[in-house]
Amino acid sequence: MAIPRFLRFVGLLAAVLSPLGAHADKLPRLVLGGPGAVVSAPLIHIVESGALADLAESVSFVQWRDPDQLRAMALDGQADVLAMPTNVAANLHNRGAPVTLLNVSTWGALWMVSRSPDKKTLADFRGEEIAMPFRGDMPDIMFQLLVARQGLDARKDFRLRYVATPVDAMQLLVMRRVDHALLSEPAVSMALRKTKSFPLGIVAPELHRSVDFQQEWGRLYARSTRIPQAGIAAVGALRERPELLARIESAYAESLAWCRTHALDCGRMVARRIDILSAEAVSDAVAVSQLDAVPAMQARDALVFFFEQLKARNPALIGGKLPGDAFYGGKCAGCER
């Protein structure tokens, strides 16, 4: 039986007016990638909650373990959306990689963790051995910036013991092979929990949350105590689909809000995906970290200042120049801020 012309017209109109417009068909897959850090928690919630199930036949999360793997994933098209340090996103973009920053969501998650309760500034660690993850990347970059701002030399005035990841640095600290480590969350919270170093503990804590890098940033640069440290970026062909990017950005902001409200449930969710992390440590990290999903366009002033400091120290950190307009995405269509 032939379909009446009117019904065919209605079907065509529905397709045109669908949320995805001319791209009404689902993507075959949508791959979200991120590190074992709090910036990945909303991505994992997106997958677990099915928030973007209507956009793709499969939505998955893949963990990257070090900056080299992150860069390979971005360049080889192994993911569509990647959580990453903002300077890495700028570096990739400036070198011609198809990378557009969508938001900045981690504004501070770096601390010195020490056995000494008396060390209050970075200068107090002069001459000491410090476990340092990700040589030449975050958090090494932030350490170099902040000690240089105080007239110190990271290489000459400190004994830096470089390791592959924050978890490796945390393990050295817990095993008493070093007395100090620069850690990002949730490695900070994991170290404190493993040694039962709680502020209200009956026994004196073994480890102490020492210098707060966010506070140091604000003090030394006379700025807000918010470092535009990490966010999510669109990679490859997905950047040409603004309607999808708006949905992804909105879903990320909503999932971040959920994680902040349901920190322990969020921690359990993350721990199921990243087995080296514990639910309690992730919950602690969500509670203490500065998490706020700000569209990259709105965060541009903070990013430009941050990139200017990196460029002055080592232009290669951001690919030799400040990124142009095309780098800044995140109009946040549909988000209420």
Side-chain angles (χ1 to χ4, degrees):
M1 181 178 176
I3 299 175
R5 181 179 301 174
F6 174 75
L7 292 181
R8 289 201 302 269
F9 172 76
V10 170
L12 177 61
L13 183 63
V16 171
L17 297 179
S18 69
L20 301 185
H23 299 284
D25 292 340
K26 281 187 175 183
L27 296 170
R29 64 170 193 152
L30 182 65
V31 180
L32 315 177
V38 288
V39 69
S40 294
L43 295 179
I44 291 172
H45 180 258
I46 285 172
V47 174
E48 295 271 345
S49 66
L52 298 178
D54 61 313
L55 299 190
E57 294 295 341
S58 71
V59 183
S60 60
F61 173 81
V62 178
Q63 181 188 357
W64 59 260
R65 300 183 182 279
D66 58 58
D68 289 337
Q69 185 182 5
L70 162 61
R71 293 179 178 94
M73 290 177 70
L75 294 172
D76 296 343
Q78 299 174 27
D80 303 294
V81 175
L82 282 165
M84 64 177 74
T86 55
N87 75 291
V88 174
N91 188 300
L92 288 167
H93 177 86
N94 279 336
R95 295 180 184 278
V99 173
T100 299
L101 188 67
L102 295 182
N103 73 24
V104 177
S105 59
T106 301
W107 294 84
L110 291 173
W111 279 267
M112 288 291 295
V113 180
S114 174
R115 295 194 191 285
S116 171
D118 303 322
K119 298 186 183 303
K120 305 298 183 183
T121 71
L122 291 178
D124 293 338
F125 290 88
R126 190 170 184 171
E128 299 280 337
E129 182 181 40
I130 302 168
M132 178 75 67
F134 296 156
R135 183 171 191 162
D137 280 292
M138 299 274 193
D140 187 23
I141 291 171
M142 288 306 307
F143 183 82
Q144 292 188 41
L145 275 181
L146 295 181
V147 298
R149 189 75 174 175
Q150 300 175 76
L152 300 172
D153 188 304
R155 303 287 182 247
K156 295 179 180 178
D157 293 319
F158 305 88
R159 293 185 292 124
L160 303 182
R161 181 171 176 175
Y162 285 105
V163 296
T165 70
V167 172
D168 292 330
M170 179 270 293
Q171 290 174 336
L172 288 176
L173 197 60
V174 170
M175 295 170 67
R176 292 178 169 271
R177 294 184 179 177
V178 296
D179 290 331
H180 322 292
L182 177 50
L183 300 178
S184 57
E185 286 290 2
V188 177
S189 294
M190 287 185 67
L192 297 179
R193 280 195 169 269
K194 282 180 177 291
T195 57
K196 297 181 171 58
S197 298
F198 304 117
L200 300 179
I202 297 176
V203 180
E206 179 181 340
L207 295 176
H208 303 266
R209 193 185 288 268
S210 183
V211 179
D212 180 333
F213 270 52
Q214 294 64 236
Q215 293 296 323
E216 284 290 272
W217 170 264
R219 180 179 71 85
L220 293 170
Y221 286 97
R223 292 179 66 85
S224 165
T225 58
R226 286 163 62 91
I227 306 171
Q229 183 178 333
I232 60 170
V235 179
L238 188 68
R239 299 180 311 137
E240 308 305 321
R241 302 283 298 273
E243 75 284 358
L244 299 189
L245 298 184
R247 279 291 311 282
I248 291 166
E249 187 190 353
S250 178
Y252 185 93
E254 291 169 4
S255 287
L256 178 55
W258 183 89
C259 282
R260 293 179 65 179
T261 305
H262 305 84
L264 186 54
D265 288 337
C266 181
R268 294 188 181 111
M269 192 174 286
V270 171
R272 287 198 297 269
R273 296 274 179 165
I274 304 175
D275 56 11
I276 198 169
L277 302 180
S278 72
E280 294 77 14
V282 174
S283 176
D284 293 346
V286 169
V288 75
S289 300
Q290 294 191 52
L291 304 176
D292 183 19
V294 179
M297 286 185 177
Q298 294 182 24
R300 184 166 182 166
D301 288 349
L303 285 164
V304 168
F305 181 84
F306 181 50
F307 292 157
E308 284 175 340
Q309 310 317 306
L310 299 184
K311 183 174 179 288
R313 178 152 190 86
N314 181 1
L317 293 173
I318 58 170
K321 61 183 180 180
L322 297 179
D325 293 346
F327 174 70
Y328 297 94
K331 294 182 180 179
C332 203
C335 290
E336 295 182 1
R337 291 194 55 77

